[in-house]
Amino acid sequence: MRVLLLGSFEVRGVEDLAVEIPGIRVRALLARLAMEAGRVVSADTLIDAIWEEQPPAKGANALQALVSRARRAIGAERVEGRAPGYRLVVDPVDVDLIRFERLAAAGRESGDLAMLREAESLWRGPALSDLQELRFAADAAVRLDEVRLAATEQRLGLEVAAGHDVLDEVRALAEAHPLAEPVQGLLIRALYAAGRHVAALDAYERVKERLVDELGVDPSPELAELHLAILRQEPRRPKRRTNLRAQVTSFVGREDDVAELTARVDTARLITIVGPGGAGKTRLAVEVAERASGAVWFVELAAVTDPAQVGSAVLTTIGVREVGLLEQPSGDPVDRLAEFFARQRAVLVLDNCEHLVEAVAQLVDRLLGACPELHILTTSRESLMVGGEHLHQIGPLPWAERTAQAPETFPAIRLFVERAKAVRPDFALSADNTADVVEICRRLDGLPLAIELAAARLRTFSVGQIAAKLDDRFTLLGRGSRTADARHRTLRAVIEWSWAPLTESERALAMWLAVFPAGATLDAMDDPDTLADLVDKSLVERNGERYRMLETIRSYALERLAESGSEQTVRAEHARYFLRLAEAAEAELRTANQSTALARLDAERDNLSAALRFAVDTADPDLGLRLVAALFWYWTLRGIHTERLRWTRTVLEIPGEAAVGLRPVRTVLAGLSSYESGSIEDGQLAVAAGIQLGTADSPGRTVLLVAPAFLENRSVAQRPDHSALSGWERGVTLLLSTAHIDQLAEARTEFEEAGDRFLLSVTLRLIAEHQLHHGDHQAAVAALTRATEVIEQFGSAGDAAAAGAELATALARLGELDRAHSTLTRAQQRADDAGEPHTVAYVGLACAELLMRQGDRRAALLELDRVDKGLAHTPFGARTRLWCTVFRGITAVLDDDVRAVRRLLGTADIDGVRPDDLAGLAQLSAALAVHIGAPTMAALLVGVAAALLGTEDRRGYDNLLAPADRARELLGADAFAAAFDSTAALTPTAAMEFLRSHALQEYSQK
């Protein structure tokens, strides 16, 4: 996504197409956020920008409404709520305003003509032209015009110095700013550079007269010196001394790196560009050197093998004799270099220093000390470790993770496409090849050299074939440019250049780290000093607390590991390490350290899968079962059910007998697998048998305790005696064995003491459900408030959205509509964050009920339509659709639309829904009965609802109609009670049949 502010406001999305943003206030919101892209802008700042001196009474709610509209327009994930406001999730360089300011600042500081040109090219018209009625936009436009003018002045000055014909452009600028001396001086220089000596002098006289007549001042010393230089006819453009070669290919990506380094090279005496082989260090250094002021000398050290020859190699490259004519040899070429550079301002680029790092470090240290105007830029796979050294780390070029992310805007993809066109001029990204190009760039880690080698293979292979062959990348990319250095001709040569100098301990650690597909933490490394060496040599990257290899380097290290004969030993140790980690983390999942343990397991997910794969490949059932048992509750908490089922079934298929102690958990896992495959009865019996086999010290005890939660009929597998249990285990057993309020309260206490936020929230929501059933809405609000707080701390967006929706509903039924609205707004935001259709529907249902209670029945019906259409035909979808029917019916009764209520009852789909859901339909039928003058039938149907729910339905969703109260008023208390009692005593099955025959059929047909 791109946001354009330098002109009229625009948002560009997929394929750079304009995204429609409805309403000036939504555009203002996005524009203000874009001005600080990636950073949180406070709600107060946003409200002030949008409404200025007339903010709405409920500013936070109004702002949230705008945010919701913005999310619908550009995607929920793009506007992120963070205290104390909101953040636009977009790369700052994708906002033209920010990109312009960065390019303009770097270009002005470094004198980089290309940057200044690019900066000006971003303008499409007056900044924020369609928003300037707002103060923040008008102020920003004035500031940006000033920055643009300064950048234009400097850019035109550089154009003139480079000999480019920009006279017409300079003249137009000078006419627009007749009293601006820098601009007038620029016109004078442009005329002089164009060979118009007399015209330049005339221009000086005109500006001199204008300054004296209008301002009463003489020209500045700078303008006077320029006049004198023209009179002396001094040279118009100095020639820069350099040995840089013109580049034959375009430079793609790393614009920010170029800008940063160009700005720093004038002030920092020593900069080392560090990165892995093939990352583009050399080309980046050349691009920076081309923009540097003063003399520039580029020295390639890859061919130098003797450290003692480094100084001589530099002298030879820059064309300086090691000794003067008829002089005695000094014995030290560094003295000659110091003598050469002492008299000039220059930039010395030393390329590929990693194999000569000690010698280069000594050379650099001596030169910097002797030559105060010398600046040195080096490229290496490790630091020189010289005082004053500035490191600039580069990594892969960014690539798109998904084809929906406008991949053509990512540098890695752009590089592939451009190099592909060099060998196949008709090549272009298309719907057929984009996914393969993205996969190639991803598999090649965004390494420019690897991408260029891959693109060159389009002479022989299609994009799809290249992507398919990347498992053997070193063979596929085994040919490159004949004119490139040998170490850059193939992908293997690039990596071997880094591998060859490693010590045995460095190679051993690299091969150990290679078996970690997700990288590793320091805990997994037994030699931190060697690890630091690998990081310094750009073979290992550090990202926060984790260490990882680029996939290409990792593939090479895995090849070396296979050749070493120790692969099985290393992988076995890796699997044992992660078994220990998983079992330790599983214990923490039941404590106050739950969130930390979850984060640890999230980070190690690919490593844990690798350990499971090793167990399967080596037919080790004990290792596999222990891993699955240790990860079972993690998978459950994270909702990763597909992965849980896949690994469970794969491990159960491992041949051979498991250890005796693992038989209970194996039996339970097999039962759950059968149950979830459709073998209900066999699965339940197996789960029950496994639980009975278990003991207090059985491995996988968590699986044995929580397994009943996965069954529809928990009673067949639950552990009836929980008196011998304590803490978390007792809490789980109480939670799963009953819905009695006293035992739920005990479970709550156990989870609070254990620190398990997830199950505490689940328990609190069940307590609130019980309280709602009995009409205690105040207590339910208190329980749901606590549940929402706890699950927010846990960090599950989907569960937080659901709990928030339930809280908002309970508040609405109490009549606290404002509080319900603010609570629901937060729940909607969390549902957007979760991106789960069933959660969005659940929150949507709560929203519809709130709208209905606020009197906006039309909006409520529209929300119900969205909920209804947004769900697939799943059990949850069936239940939700039934409640949509109930709320549509309540709305129809309120609107006195009897025909609509009958139609809804006649078309209600009750297959696959629970009895407590059908109670809602019974209450709607009762409301219709009262409305058409059948209070006795209404009383009978209210009793049916009680039979279906197990208690009198006092949840309050129907309190706008109050069918029980109205029927009691019409019949009298005794008659109502008699009718109610006759059906309230029915079994759930009989109650369902009564509902079918007396309400859904009879009333829908009248």
Side-chain angles (χ1 to χ4, degrees):
M1 185 180 78
R2 293 195 301 138
V3 183
L4 308 181
L5 304 175
L6 301 180
S8 59
F9 174 80
E10 283 187 31
V11 175
R12 299 290 181 89
V14 178
E15 297 182 356
D16 209 37
L17 297 176
V19 177
E20 183 177 355
I21 308 296
I24 189 170
R25 285 179 176 160
V26 179
R27 294 198 295 274
L29 168 68
L30 291 174
R32 186 61 186 83
L33 288 171
M35 289 167 69
E36 298 186 59
R39 294 163 53 189
V40 176
V41 182
S42 74
D44 289 344
T45 299
L46 293 171
I47 290 169
D48 179 67
I50 297 166
W51 285 282
E52 297 182 347
E53 282 77 25
Q54 296 181 324
K58 296 181 179 179
N61 291 343
L63 179 61
Q64 176 58 43
L66 290 183
V67 169
S68 297
R69 291 171 61 191
R71 285 171 170 161
R72 285 195 292 271
I74 66 173
E77 74 283 358
R78 289 292 187 181
V79 184
E80 183 180 75
R82 284 193 179 181
Y86 297 91
R87 180 174 80 100
L88 186 65
V89 182
V90 64
D91 191 326
V93 298
D94 288 330
V95 178
D96 61 354
L97 183 154
I98 295 175
R99 186 172 181 82
F100 163 74
E101 292 193 296
R102 288 185 179 181
L103 286 168
R108 292 187 66 199
E109 185 172 351
S110 63
D112 187 320
L113 180 56
M115 283 186 184
L116 292 170
R117 284 174 176 170
E118 183 179 353
E120 279 201 69
S121 72
L122 297 172
W123 286 75
R124 298 170 293 111
L128 298 158
S129 58
D130 54 342
L131 294 174
Q132 287 198 14
E133 63 189 69
L134 296 171
R135 185 176 59 243
F136 87 90
D139 291 347
V142 171
R143 180 182 61 80
L144 288 165
D145 285 343
E146 293 174 354
V147 176
R148 183 184 187 184
L149 175 61
T152 300
E153 287 178 18
Q154 184 152 356
R155 193 262 303 171
L156 289 173
L158 293 171
E159 300 274 18
V160 170
H164 302 147
D165 183 8
V166 290
L167 185 55
D168 290 342
E169 193 175 354
V170 173
R171 185 178 282 113
L173 187 67
E175 289 174 357
H177 302 277
L179 296 175
E181 284 194 71
V183 176
Q184 297 302 320
L186 180 60
L187 173 61
I188 295 167
R189 276 192 293 271
L191 289 166
Y192 184 54
R196 301 178 61 180
H197 179 199
V198 175
L201 292 173
D202 288 343
Y204 173 79
E205 293 300 330
R206 285 196 302 274
V207 72
K208 178 181 178 181
E209 288 180 17
R210 196 178 300 124
L211 290 170
V212 171
D213 293 345
E214 298 188 28
L215 300 180
V217 297
D218 292 325
S220 65
E222 290 81 9
L223 208 58
E225 288 179 11
L226 174 61
H227 178 236
L228 185 59
I230 295 172
L231 290 173
R232 293 172 176 168
Q233 296 193 18
E234 293 179 357
R236 294 189 286 264
R237 293 191 304 275
K239 184 177 180 180
R240 186 172 71 154
R241 299 181 65 194
T242 182
N243 67 337
L244 286 174
R245 296 177 57 191
Q247 299 300 301
V248 297
T249 59
S250 60
F251 183 68
V252 179
R254 303 209 189 284
E255 290 85 357
D256 288 347
D257 290 296
V258 172
E260 180 180 344
L261 285 169
T262 302
R264 288 171 64 189
V265 78
D266 278 341
T267 55
R269 300 289 311 284
L270 172 62
I271 300 174
T272 299
I273 301 175
V274 179
K281 299 183 295 295
T282 298
R283 183 60 187 272
L284 176 60
V286 170
E287 293 296 319
V288 173
E290 285 180 341
R291 293 161 171 77
S293 57
V296 176
W297 303 102
F298 185 91
V299 181
E300 168 59 68
L301 296 176
V304 180
T305 57
D306 183 355
Q309 295 300 311
V310 171
S312 295
V314 176
L315 281 171
T316 300
T317 302
I318 65 178
V320 176
R321 295 170 59 93
E322 194 163 330
V323 294
L325 188 64
L326 303 179
E327 289 182 358
Q328 295 295 318
S330 66
D332 189 352
V334 180
D335 289 339
R336 186 68 169 165
L337 282 171
E339 179 185 337
F340 174 77
F341 285 117
R343 299 192 302 269
Q344 60 177 302
R345 178 175 177 81
V347 175
L348 174 64
V349 182
L350 302 176
D351 189 39
N352 293 298
C353 303
E354 52 271 354
H355 62 303
L356 301 164
V357 66
E358 295 287 346
V360 172
Q362 293 176 17
L363 169 68
V364 164
D365 186 58
R366 287 181 60 186
L367 289 179
L368 290 176
C371 311
E373 292 298 311
L374 177 65
H375 295 249
I376 299 179
L377 177 64
T378 71
T379 72
S380 177
R381 299 182 192 182
E382 61 180 299
S383 165
L384 299 184
M385 303 294 286
V386 173
E389 180 182 28
H390 293 247
L391 291 180
H392 186 89
Q393 180 78 43
I394 66 168
L397 291 174
W399 65 88
E401 293 290 346
R402 301 182 302 277
T403 56
Q405 291 182 303
E408 69 280 358
T409 65
F410 285 78
I413 310 297
R414 287 165 43 210
L415 178 63
F416 182 92
V417 172
E418 185 155 328
R419 298 302 186 259
K421 287 180 177 180
V423 296
R424 279 183 46 192
D426 61 338
F427 181 83
L429 277 183
S430 68
D432 294 331
N433 65 25
T434 295
D436 287 326
V437 172
V438 169
E439 178 68 3
I440 290 168
C441 293
R442 183 188 70 80
R443 294 284 304 280
L444 294 177
D445 303 301
L447 287 175
L449 176 63
I451 291 170
E452 291 182 335
L453 291 171
R457 300 298 278 163
L458 283 173
R459 297 187 188 96
T460 307
F461 302 112
S462 69
V463 174
Q465 289 172 326
I466 292 172
K469 291 175 178 288
L470 283 179
D471 283 342
D472 188 16
R473 65 189 66 195
F474 295 115
T475 300
L476 175 69
L477 307 182
R479 298 171 62 186
S481 170
R482 292 188 178 94
T483 61
D485 292 331
R487 63 193 174 78
H488 277 163
R489 289 181 190 171
T490 70
L491 187 60
R492 182 181 298 280
V494 171
I495 309 304
E496 285 177 343
W497 175 265
S498 298
W499 189 267
L502 297 183
T503 65
E504 286 303 315
S505 61
E506 289 172 337
R507 292 183 183 185
L509 186 59
M511 291 186 291
W512 164 244
L513 186 56
V515 301
F516 289 72
T521 62
L522 191 59
D523 293 339
M525 306 293 150
D526 58 4
D527 188 349
D529 290 337
T530 301
L531 177 64
D533 291 340
L534 291 176
V535 172
D536 289 342
K537 294 176 180 178
S538 300
L539 287 168
V540 173
E541 291 182 336
R542 180 184 176 188
N543 184 8
E545 298 300 317
R546 300 190 68 79
Y547 299 85
R548 66 179 292 272
M549 288 176 162
L550 295 179
E551 191 61 30
T552 299
I553 297 173
R554 180 171 170 263
S555 296
Y556 184 87
L558 287 173
E559 282 188 6
R560 304 286 74 76
L561 176 62
E563 292 172 359
S564 72
S566 59
E567 182 175 11
Q568 285 295 95
T569 302
V570 171
R571 289 190 182 277
E573 178 56 34
H574 171 271
R576 288 192 294 271
Y577 173 83
F578 281 102
L579 174 61
R580 294 190 298 272
L581 182 146
E583 290 181 337
E586 193 272 342
E588 291 187 75
L589 291 177
R590 306 190 294 272
T591 71
N593 291 330
Q594 189 176 55
S595 297
T596 302
L598 281 169
R600 186 183 312 131
L601 292 170
D602 287 341
E604 303 294 0
R605 189 169 164 186
D606 288 344
N607 285 324
L608 292 162
S609 292
L612 281 161
R613 174 51 55 194
F614 177 79
V616 173
D617 291 344
T618 57
D620 189 338
D622 290 2
L623 175 61
L625 285 169
R626 287 179 65 185
L627 280 166
V628 168
L631 294 171
F632 185 92
W633 192 229
Y634 161 70
W635 286 326
T636 302
L637 290 175
R638 283 295 191 232
I640 313 172
H641 299 301
T642 302
E643 186 171 323
R644 172 178 62 80
L645 286 171
R646 177 171 63 86
W647 280 119
T648 297
R649 290 167 180 166
T650 303
V651 166
L652 289 172
E653 291 170 0
I654 296 176
E657 287 292 324
V660 173
L662 289 168
R663 288 177 186 172
V665 72
R666 190 189 191 287
T667 304
V668 169
L669 290 171
L672 289 175
S673 178
S674 297
Y675 182 88
E676 292 176 290
S677 298
S679 300
I680 305 299
E681 186 174 350
D682 290 345
Q684 290 185 150
L685 291 173
V687 170
I691 291 174
Q692 293 303 319
L693 285 173
T695 63
D697 57 354
S698 292
R701 184 154 174 79
T702 298
V703 178
L704 305 185
L705 287 167
V706 304
F710 293 80
L711 307 179
E712 187 72 23
N713 182 7
R714 296 176 183 174
S715 62
V716 301
Q718 68 188 19
R719 187 184 296 273
D721 180 18
H722 52 75
S723 60
L725 302 175
S726 63
W728 187 90
E729 293 186 352
R730 182 170 182 269
V732 169
T733 306
L734 286 167
L735 178 64
L736 298 181
S737 63
T738 182
H740 193 278
I741 189 65
D742 292 338
Q743 291 186 313
L744 287 174
E746 291 182 53
R748 170 183 179 172
T749 300
E750 298 291 5
F751 294 134
E752 283 179 331
E753 291 179 356
D756 186 333
R757 296 183 181 90
F758 177 79
L759 286 182
L760 175 58
S761 177
V762 170
T763 306
L764 287 164
R765 289 171 65 187
L766 288 174
I767 290 172
E769 183 179 357
H770 183 279
Q771 291 162 336
L772 286 170
H773 284 182
H774 291 81
D776 192 352
H777 287 73
Q778 290 287 1
V781 164
L784 287 169
T785 299
R786 175 74 175 131
T788 304
E789 292 171 353
V790 167
I791 202 63
E792 284 282 7
Q793 294 168 4
F794 175 76
S796 172
D799 291 306
E806 291 166 8
L807 174 58
T809 299
L811 288 165
R813 291 174 187 176
L814 277 174
E816 297 187 36
L817 299 186
D818 288 345
R819 188 177 166 197
H821 180 271
S822 60
T823 301
L824 190 59
T825 297
R826 173 63 177 168
Q828 288 172 318
Q829 181 180 331
R830 301 300 278 143
D832 290 343
D833 293 340
E836 301 161 354
H838 66 277
T839 302
V840 173
Y842 196 68
V843 175
L845 203 60
C847 180
E849 182 175 349
L850 178 59
L851 288 167
M852 183 181 69
R853 292 179 180 280
Q854 290 173 325
D856 194 348
R857 295 200 279 273
R858 182 174 179 275
L861 291 172
L862 290 173
E863 186 66 37
L864 290 171
D865 288 342
R866 281 193 287 270
V867 171
D868 216 348
K869 295 173 182 176
L871 287 172
H873 295 284
T874 63
F876 179 81
R879 293 183 59 204
T880 303
R881 281 190 292 277
L882 181 72
W883 279 104
C884 287
T885 297
V886 171
F887 285 119
R888 286 193 185 101
I890 292 173
T891 302
V893 174
L894 291 170
D895 288 337
D896 196 22
D897 190 348
V898 173
R899 181 177 296 179
V901 183
R902 286 175 169 163
R903 183 172 60 253
L904 287 165
L905 289 172
T907 57
D909 182 5
I910 65 174
D911 292 331
V913 298
R914 302 187 325 198
D916 57 336
D917 298 321
L918 284 175
L921 209 58
Q923 291 284 69
L924 174 62
S925 302
L928 175 60
V930 171
H931 197 75
I932 63 176
T936 302
M937 177 55 71
L940 291 169
L941 288 166
V942 172
V944 165
L948 291 167
L949 192 61
T951 184
E952 184 180 351
D953 193 347
R954 299 171 64 188
R955 288 174 287 181
Y957 56 89
D958 59 343
N959 59 15
L960 293 176
L961 302 177
D965 293 341
R966 293 187 61 198
R968 187 180 291 109
E969 290 173 5
L970 293 169
L971 291 174
D974 293 341
F976 175 85
F980 173 87
D981 292 343
S982 67
T983 50
L986 295 173
T987 65
T989 301
M992 289 177 65
E993 184 55 35
F994 186 98
L995 181 63
R996 287 177 187 273
S997 59
H998 291 84
L1000 300 186
Q1001 293 181 19
E1002 182 177 348
Y1003 280 117
S1004 66
Q1005 294 171 0
K1006 289 187 177 180

